[in-house]
Structures are given as structure tokens and as C-alpha cells.
Amino acid sequence: MTDTKPPLVNLEELMRGCKKVILQHGKRPYFLTITRRGNLILTSADDDAETLQADKQRPDQQSK
């Protein structure tokens, strides 16, 4: 096992002012959400696959 440091990702840059983003891991989407208390929650977005597909077809809509 090597002692390499994992890359540092700035959450503010990743979220770009949003409280929720979609992370793609392989073919599976996940929601990364910042709660009101500032905690992070990662949940599967598979249940919302139809919503995600509709959002991809409407680029003028922004995620909430």
C-alpha cells in the first residue's frame, strides 16, 4: 500500500452555489446534497432517473 494523498476538491467550486449536484459514478447517478446544517448527504439518484433524463433534455432549466 502506498502513502499517496488523495486529491483535494474544493466543495464550493464543485457545488457552484447550489445545494444539490448530481455525481456520475460509472453509469449510476448520485445526489450530493448540503443540508441546512452544512452536512453532506450522498444518495442514489436511480429512483429519480426519469427526472434526470427530463432535466438533461431541458438545458435551460437549472437544478434547485
Side-chain angles (χ1 to χ4, degrees):
M1 187 166 150
T2 62
D3 291 335
T4 60
K5 293 173 87 174
L8 177 66
V9 176
N10 185 318
L11 190 60
E12 290 179 5
E13 290 177 17
L14 179 67
M15 302 299 281
R16 296 187 215 156
C18 296
K19 294 293 183 185
K20 182 182 281 191
V21 295
I22 300 169
L23 301 176
Q24 189 76 30
H25 179 60
K27 293 186 177 187
R28 298 189 64 185
Y30 293 87
F31 288 119
L32 178 62
T33 306
I34 300 176
T35 68
R36 285 179 280 184
R37 292 185 172 191
N39 295 320
L40 296 176
I41 300 174
L42 184 65
T43 55
S44 174
D46 284 338
D47 295 340
D48 297 324
E50 292 176 14
T51 303
L52 293 173
Q53 289 299 329
D55 288 345
K56 286 181 183 177
Q57 294 172 359
R58 295 179 295 174
D60 58 320
Q61 299 285 327
Q62 289 187 348
S63 298
K64 294 181 180 178

